[in-house]
Amino acid sequence: MQPLNFPAYDFRFKNSENKVQIFDVIRKKFVVLQPEEWVRQHVVHSLIDDKKYPKSLINVEKQLKINNLTKRYDVVVYNPDGSIHVLVECKAPKIKISQTTFDQIARYNMQLRANYLIVTNGLEHYYCKMDSEEEKYTFLSQIPDFSR
């Protein structure tokens, strides 16, 4: 897999049925290493190792219903009260981050109501603080570290 715009993390890999798999510390299982999964695993490790979010508050690839359609978010970080603190949309490195990508995460966030959004393809990262009252977001250079 190509190098991404993240620090180096200590990943576990294995080969199974001629496919490389990477260990997901949140789902506690090996998953097939696809380009988007490579980005997702970097994001998860960044949240845990760099931003100090507890694993117990992170969830990966869960379904949600939007207008009777079943969708999947990539990563969420919960607040201790169960509300959503961070919503992350991951794309494969070859996918350019566009307005369509922001529209997608905005649709998800209308239901999830996260405080912060991250959109990344592993090479470019965008961080936003949400203002639900005004229905707008402000771009940031980073999201805040975890605080109790």
Side-chain angles (χ1 to χ4, degrees):
M1 286 282 148
Q2 78 179 82
L4 300 178
N5 188 7
F6 284 99
Y9 299 113
D10 191 21
F11 295 111
R12 289 174 44 204
F13 300 96
K14 77 174 187 178
N15 280 310
S16 179
E17 300 173 13
N18 293 326
K19 291 185 179 168
V20 176
Q21 297 185 333
I22 187 168
F23 188 75
D24 182 322
V25 297
I26 302 301
R27 292 179 275 185
K28 296 184 174 77
K29 67 179 185 177
F30 282 93
V31 294
V32 175
L33 182 57
Q34 300 284 348
E36 185 177 312
E37 190 64 45
W38 184 233
V39 173
R40 185 170 22 254
Q41 291 306 312
H42 277 79
V43 167
V44 166
H45 281 263
S46 173
L47 290 167
I48 295 166
D49 298 347
D50 304 331
K51 295 295 182 181
K52 305 304 180 199
Y53 285 94
K55 288 182 197 173
S56 62
L57 294 179
I58 300 173
N59 207 320
V60 174
E61 277 216 309
K62 292 288 186 209
Q63 289 186 351
L64 69 151
K65 286 254 193 233
I66 298 176
N67 299 329
N68 293 324
L69 297 173
T70 301
K71 301 290 184 181
R72 257 186 202 284
Y73 61 71
D74 286 306
V75 181
V76 295
V77 179
Y78 291 97
N79 288 306
D81 69 4
S83 62
I84 296 179
H85 186 61
V86 182
L87 172 61
V88 184
E89 179 60 33
C90 300
K91 296 294 183 192
K94 70 176 196 237
I95 304 294
K96 184 150 178 50
I97 304 295
S98 65
Q99 185 61 50
T100 305
T101 313
F102 282 97
D103 292 347
Q104 177 185 0
I105 198 169
R107 275 193 307 278
Y108 291 4
N109 201 45
M110 286 171 68
Q111 181 169 338
L112 299 175
R113 305 188 68 76
N115 300 324
Y116 295 91
L117 305 179
I118 300 173
V119 176
T120 182
N121 62 6
L123 304 173
E124 294 180 284
H125 317 298
Y126 297 93
Y127 307 94
C128 305
K129 178 168 181 24
M130 295 304 302
D131 181 341
S132 297
E133 306 278 314
E134 299 284 326
E135 294 186 347
K136 65 180 184 177
Y137 47 85
T138 305
F139 283 95
L140 306 171
S141 61
Q142 278 290 330
I143 62 163
D145 291 355
F146 178 72
S147 60
R148 297 191 181 277

